[in-house]
Amino acid sequence: MLLILFSSIFIIPVLMGWGKIIENVSGILFQGISGKILSGILGISLIWTLLSFFSPLNIYVEAASILLGLFFFFKTRIYQEFYQFSKKDFILLSAATLIIILAGSYYPYILDHFGYYIPTLQWLKEYGLVKGISNVDLTLGQMSVWHIFQAGFSNFSDPFLRINAVLLIIYTIYIIERKNWIHLCFLPVLLLFSQSPSPDLPVIIFSLIILNEMIAGNRNTTLLFAFSVFVFAIKPTMIWLPILVFSSSVFIFKNNFKPLLLGILILILFFIKNLWTFGFPVFPVAIGDLGVSWKPNPEVLKISSQFAIMKTYDMQYTYEEIQKFSTADHIKNWFSLEGIKSKINILFVLSLIIFSVFAWIKKKKLITLICISLLIKSILILAFSAQYRFFIDVFFVVFFVLFHEYFNQKKSIIVFSVLSLFFISILSFPVLIQKYIPSFRVGSFMTGFEKEQLYKPSTYEYHQFNTFKIGNFKFNVSHNYPYSFDTPLPAVTPFYIFDDVKAGIFPQLSDKNDLKKGFIWKKMTSEEKKEAQKVINNIKNTDK
């Protein structure tokens, strides 16, 4: 807890200093401490994204960025803005911060933390953006901008990877500054994302902030659209947000396309990043083929697509069974999955129906555009992979629009207090969720409270691996564990080794003497197939 607090006290002024720099260049997103911090997040994330094409996000990059941010923080005396908080505001901020750093100190339990987040951060810290990295591990092709942001602060400012806990504190500052108290109701639920650098948290928070600004009458289309595209770049399932800001600019504010230029530039950077790491403009969709030599093997993409379809049905049906579904079967089976997922799916559809009726009754342009944007996003999600984690943001948006005028400060603080107690209890005594909601699988990876958390957040260590070589690629594989979260680079997840061998291919260095020049895939020779089989046999034997 203590170390998360120190990280927050250190990082927030740095972001404010960077925010002041960005405001001098592009204007003010909105007034206040939180406005500067969000501008700082946007600016430093984009700069680090550009830099990571050419350099790892190492301690030198972090130190230079921190010094520049702190210089502007003190030079422009923006620390004086903290004096605006009243005694009551400070008490509320302190109480919320205490709850946030407590929640953030628990062990990470989201599986993506081990199979996706940490490996991504390791590559960014040691090599930056590597061309064709998706050939090593398809998941790494995402390289979310949020992980670029986290990687830049992970050398010494936030070595325990709790940037999401820092973001929750920033969100609390925004709530107190803007006096829009319904956001307090969301904070306790979002505590569940504070132990890992999950991109789900920032996209939910940023979308709610942008939505709040639009409803409050913020007409800075240039920065609102730029920030909405930034959110899309963090997680493309948030496509509804730039659609909303764009349509508002056109149909409500009657703007021309000039205010959209900054956002378009960010979008182009996003496409270039994905082309560099994945080979296509938007991960994980193999659309927009420019014929680059480092794009993933078609068979591997096919396997990934089939897996995504099975995830739609919570892996309760095989791909072959799903292919035999009629249209009615697709709908019926999605609504009748075993466990909590079916309830979430039903609630999702009900939420869209209720919100559509609400928009029709209200007949307000902005609400109608919000509804249309959410429906477009929902149709795309249902078409590709209707997993609940891809539409969880819809629940927050619908609740916010429906009830933002109802929740005053008193009601919101009561809800915040009750829900905080509830979710901290779940984190502290996970046996409750394991017993009563066994289908909520991530609950089985929660471990409860340990007294060491009072000083530093809980983290896992493993450091067991084997080294192999196939062709010109020498790599490490975690020993008797499915993920490579602390395996030295270059590391390959066992799951993808099986996929590659099944496809008859394996990743190879573009330049055998320089890993930074990236990866391609090649069909294996008969000798390499024998070596690959030895690797598989070794993995299978150690997994027994």
Side-chain angles (χ1 to χ4, degrees):
M1 290 176 63
L2 191 60
L3 292 181
I4 297 176
L5 180 62
F6 287 161
S7 289
S8 303
I9 293 172
F10 189 64
I11 291 173
I12 287 174
V14 172
L15 293 175
M16 289 179 67
W18 272 96
K20 188 64 178 177
I21 297 171
I22 300 303
E23 285 183 349
N24 290 338
V25 173
S26 61
I28 298 173
L29 178 62
F30 52 83
Q31 296 289 345
I33 294 170
S34 54
K36 287 182 176 61
I37 293 173
L38 262 65
S39 294
I41 291 173
L42 173 64
I44 204 168
S45 297
L46 296 177
I47 290 170
W48 282 348
T49 299
L50 285 168
L51 188 62
S52 59
F53 280 96
F54 311 101
S55 166
L57 298 177
N58 53 32
I59 194 169
Y60 303 108
V61 172
E62 182 173 355
S65 303
I66 285 170
L67 288 173
L68 187 59
L70 289 177
F71 174 76
F72 275 86
F73 177 75
F74 289 107
K75 181 179 183 294
T76 57
R77 299 182 179 181
I78 50 180
Y79 53 81
Q80 294 178 348
E81 294 193 25
F82 283 102
Y83 300 150
Q84 69 177 314
F85 289 124
S86 66
K87 185 178 179 180
K88 288 183 178 179
D89 289 340
F90 181 75
I91 291 172
L92 178 58
L93 177 60
S94 300
T97 298
L98 183 64
I99 292 170
I100 290 165
I101 61 176
L102 171 60
S105 68
Y106 288 85
Y107 278 105
Y109 61 88
I110 299 173
L111 289 182
D112 275 352
H113 179 86
F114 308 99
Y116 164 33
Y117 307 156
I118 294 185
T120 297
L121 296 174
Q122 286 179 317
W123 280 98
L124 288 167
K125 285 170 61 178
E126 295 186 33
Y127 296 100
L129 291 171
V130 177
K131 184 171 66 175
I133 188 65
S134 59
N135 288 300
V136 175
D137 184 327
L138 191 64
T139 309
L140 294 175
Q142 299 178 70
M143 290 286 164
S144 170
V145 177
W146 188 247
H147 292 139
I148 293 173
F149 177 71
Q150 167 71 91
F153 280 118
S154 62
N155 295 284
F156 64 88
S157 303
D158 181 28
F160 299 102
L161 311 180
R162 291 320 198 265
I163 199 70
N164 277 10
V166 179
L167 180 60
L168 284 171
I169 295 173
I170 294 167
Y171 187 37
T172 306
I173 293 173
Y174 174 82
I175 295 168
I176 293 171
E177 281 190 319
R178 306 303 274 184
K179 309 297 182 190
N180 198 296
W181 302 110
I182 188 174
H183 294 275
L184 279 177
C185 301
F186 302 133
L187 260 181
V189 184
L190 299 176
L191 294 175
L192 296 176
F193 297 98
S194 61
Q195 305 79 23
S196 299
S198 166
D200 291 309
L201 181 74
V203 297
I204 290 171
I205 287 177
F206 294 152
S207 64
L208 289 171
I209 288 176
I210 291 174
L211 204 57
N212 189 66
E213 289 300 312
M214 293 181 70
I215 290 174
N218 189 329
R219 298 189 59 159
N220 190 342
T221 303
T222 297
L223 291 180
L224 287 176
F225 183 68
F227 212 93
S228 70
V229 175
F230 173 65
V231 173
F232 171 77
I234 293 174
K235 197 174 180 72
T237 55
M238 300 298 293
I239 190 171
W240 69 270
L241 194 60
I243 290 175
L244 170 63
V245 180
F246 171 79
S247 56
S248 297
S249 174
V250 173
F251 298 112
I252 296 179
F253 302 137
K254 310 296 184 182
N255 291 327
N256 55 31
F257 284 92
K258 187 177 179 181
L260 307 178
L261 288 177
L262 179 59
I264 292 171
L265 289 174
I266 296 173
L267 187 63
I268 291 171
L269 176 61
F270 167 73
F271 289 151
I272 293 172
K273 172 190 71 71
N274 283 346
L275 282 168
W276 187 255
T277 59
F278 174 55
F280 296 92
V282 181
F283 183 94
V285 184
I287 296 175
D289 188 358
L290 298 181
V292 296
S293 61
W294 60 87
K295 65 184 179 183
N297 178 268
E299 185 63 25
V300 172
L301 290 172
K302 179 182 176 183
I303 294 171
S304 173
S305 177
Q306 292 175 355
F307 184 74
I309 291 171
M310 289 190 289
K311 288 288 287 184
T312 297
Y313 295 93
D314 197 32
M315 306 300 289
Q316 295 178 21
Y317 299 93
T318 65
Y319 178 74
E320 289 73 21
E321 288 173 331
I322 296 171
Q323 290 300 102
K324 296 176 183 176
F325 288 172
S326 64
T327 302
D329 289 334
H330 278 287
I331 298 171
K332 177 177 68 71
N333 293 333
W334 190 66
F335 282 129
S336 58
L337 295 172
E338 293 180 9
I340 194 174
K341 304 289 177 62
S342 61
K343 282 74 176 178
I344 296 174
N345 294 342
I346 292 169
L347 184 60
F348 166 63
V349 174
L350 284 176
S351 297
L352 288 177
I353 293 172
I354 291 170
F355 191 63
S356 298
V357 173
F358 175 78
W360 183 76
I361 292 172
K362 285 289 184 179
K363 290 183 171 58
K364 292 183 177 179
K365 280 188 178 180
L366 182 57
I367 294 176
T368 300
L369 292 176
I370 294 170
C371 182
I372 292 171
S373 302
L374 289 179
L375 288 174
I376 292 172
K377 174 241 175 75
S378 300
I379 290 169
L380 291 172
I381 293 298
L382 291 171
F384 284 99
S385 183
Q387 302 173 50
Y388 81 94
R389 63 195 181 99
F390 292 153
F391 53 71
I392 191 171
D393 56 296
V394 172
F395 297 121
F396 290 90
V397 172
V398 170
F399 187 87
F400 173 77
V401 177
L402 291 179
F403 299 108
H404 73 279
E405 293 178 345
Y406 172 76
F407 280 91
N408 56 24
Q409 184 176 10
K410 183 178 179 181
K411 292 175 183 176
S412 298
I413 290 176
I414 291 172
V415 173
F416 169 72
S417 303
V418 173
L419 289 182
S420 294
L421 180 62
F422 174 74
F423 285 107
I424 292 294
S425 297
I426 287 177
L427 291 169
S428 302
F429 308 103
V431 68
L432 297 172
I433 196 169
Q434 292 164 7
K435 180 179 179 181
Y436 294 107
I437 315 179
S439 60
F440 186 64
R441 295 194 187 99
V442 294
S444 63
F445 299 99
M446 295 179 178
T447 58
F449 180 80
E450 295 180 355
K451 62 180 183 297
E452 289 80 8
Q453 292 173 223
L454 297 174
Y455 169 59
K456 69 174 185 176
S458 300
T459 55
Y460 289 106
E461 293 182 0
Y462 192 64
H463 298 306
Q464 297 181 42
F465 62 93
N466 296 312
T467 303
F468 305 98
K469 185 176 182 181
I470 297 177
N472 69 4
F473 183 33
K474 188 177 181 180
F475 58 95
N476 301 312
V477 179
S478 181
H479 180 81
N480 198 25
Y481 188 74
Y483 302 114
S484 303
F485 73 98
D486 66 352
T487 305
L489 300 181
V492 183
T493 303
F495 175 82
Y496 285 106
I497 293 177
F498 285 94
D499 281 354
D500 287 339
V501 173
K502 182 180 177 182
I505 58 104
F506 209 78
Q508 297 289 284
L509 296 171
S510 295
D511 182 338
K512 65 180 181 179
N513 299 314
D514 189 357
L515 186 150
K516 183 66 176 79
K517 290 188 177 178
F519 296 89
I520 57 174
W521 62 267
K522 282 186 177 180
K523 286 190 176 294
M524 289 188 287
T525 63
S526 57
E527 189 63 32
E528 289 169 346
K529 287 180 180 179
K530 291 177 183 177
E531 290 298 318
Q533 194 57 50
K534 289 179 184 178
V535 174
I536 288 177
N537 291 339
N538 183 283
I539 294 170
K540 288 181 176 178
N541 290 333
T542 56
D543 286 348
K544 287 181 179 178

